[in-house]
Amino acid sequence: MVCTAFVAVATSAQAERSVGLSTDITDSRTLAIQGKVDKLYDAGDFERAYFIYRNELAPLGDKYAQYMVGFMHVTGKGVAADDVQASAWYRLASERDTPEFVAVRNRLMDSLRAEQVRRSDVLYAALLAEYSDLAVLLAAIKRDMALVSNRTGSRLHRGGGGPVSIVNGRSGAVKSEAAYFRRIDKRIEVCLQRIVEIGQFEDIDPDPDRVDMDELERLVEERIANWQG
């Protein structure tokens, strides 16, 4: 891939990072990580940049980060050069049909031999199962619903006394228990609406109080298994 193609993709693809897919609300920590990793890449610290793109941002559904993992495999920056690995990540980055990502994916896929395409298919299927938009959303919903299910547990209610305060271990910020759970409830609501929209699950009620999670999980797994890209 020529550098001019990379620049064009990198510039246009920033829009892919405007929304944190797992909640549709990008938090300040994620934005800070995005800024940090771009600076590391620009400074030539490719190994650290690759680690962050691959292990911190790509799992959040950050399509630009997923593209960058593929690009770094193509160029051998920070990781071993591997066109098959790159193609799988490019395919994942293209699942929203972003034109720049689709064009890069198609060029690389067209250059692969039949045996390489078969290996790409296997890798791509594994990435979809873990890092596709549907997989990321489902994981976020399940994670937040587990938190909500503990709402009346002893971990938060010590018995007697006044309202419970929640302390953010990362920032030190303190908020009321009610505010804490309102934020979680909102995330669940947004994620359910997004997953129903993306998956076109017309029979799923996106209301958090009525959603059939077993059926939703079954539909997500089925849709991912049949995904092409």
Side-chain angles (χ1 to χ4, degrees), residues 19-225:
V19 173
L21 178 68
S22 63
T23 61
D24 267 1
I25 304 170
T26 302
D27 59 30
S28 59
R29 179 173 179 268
T30 300
L31 291 172
I33 294 172
Q34 290 173 342
K36 173 184 176 181
V37 70
D38 291 341
K39 289 179 181 178
L40 287 171
Y41 184 92
D42 290 341
D45 194 345
F46 299 126
E47 289 187 7
R48 290 177 65 195
Y50 177 84
F51 181 88
I52 294 172
Y53 282 132
R54 170 64 177 82
N55 298 295
E56 296 189 38
L57 293 176
L60 299 178
D62 185 325
K63 292 303 174 191
Y64 178 75
Q66 292 170 0
Y67 159 77
M68 284 301 297
V69 174
F71 175 75
M72 295 178 82
H73 273 292
V74 167
T75 59
K77 291 181 175 179
V79 68
D82 187 330
D83 283 353
V84 174
Q85 283 279 355
S87 69
W89 283 98
Y90 279 173
R91 294 167 79 177
L92 180 66
S94 302
E95 74 167 311
R96 298 177 198 168
D97 293 325
T98 303
E100 295 81 6
F101 292 158
V102 170
V104 172
R105 176 200 67 191
N106 290 348
R107 283 200 298 271
L108 183 55
M109 291 300 297
D110 288 345
S111 74
L112 299 182
R113 302 185 303 274
E115 181 272 333
Q116 290 177 308
V117 171
R118 287 192 291 271
R119 287 196 287 130
S120 177
D121 288 344
V122 173
L123 292 172
Y124 175 54
L127 291 177
L128 278 176
E130 195 166 3
Y131 302 136
S132 66
D133 287 348
L134 291 177
V136 170
L137 284 164
L138 181 64
I141 293 166
K142 292 170 68 176
R143 188 165 54 245
D144 277 345
M145 282 192 163
L147 289 174
V148 170
S149 71
N150 292 325
R151 187 182 308 227
T152 58
S154 60
R155 182 172 63 84
L156 296 177
H157 292 270
R158 301 283 181 183
V164 175
S165 295
I166 308 296
V167 180
N168 186 314
R170 188 175 294 115
S171 67
V174 179
K175 64 175 63 178
S176 70
E177 179 189 22
Y180 173 77
F181 280 113
R182 278 199 302 271
R183 183 173 177 82
I184 293 176
D185 289 339
K186 180 60 177 178
R187 285 204 307 253
I188 293 173
E189 181 181 345
V190 169
C191 287
L192 281 171
Q193 291 172 348
R194 291 287 288 130
I195 202 170
V196 168
E197 175 188 340
I198 292 171
Q200 298 180 336
F201 301 138
E202 297 177 357
D203 295 331
I204 291 292
D205 188 336
D207 186 320
D209 294 325
R210 296 195 296 267
V211 63
D212 184 337
M213 284 301 298
D214 289 338
E215 177 65 5
L216 178 61
E217 188 164 3
R218 184 191 70 78
L219 289 172
V220 167
E221 291 176 353
E222 182 180 274
R223 185 63 52 83
I224 290 174

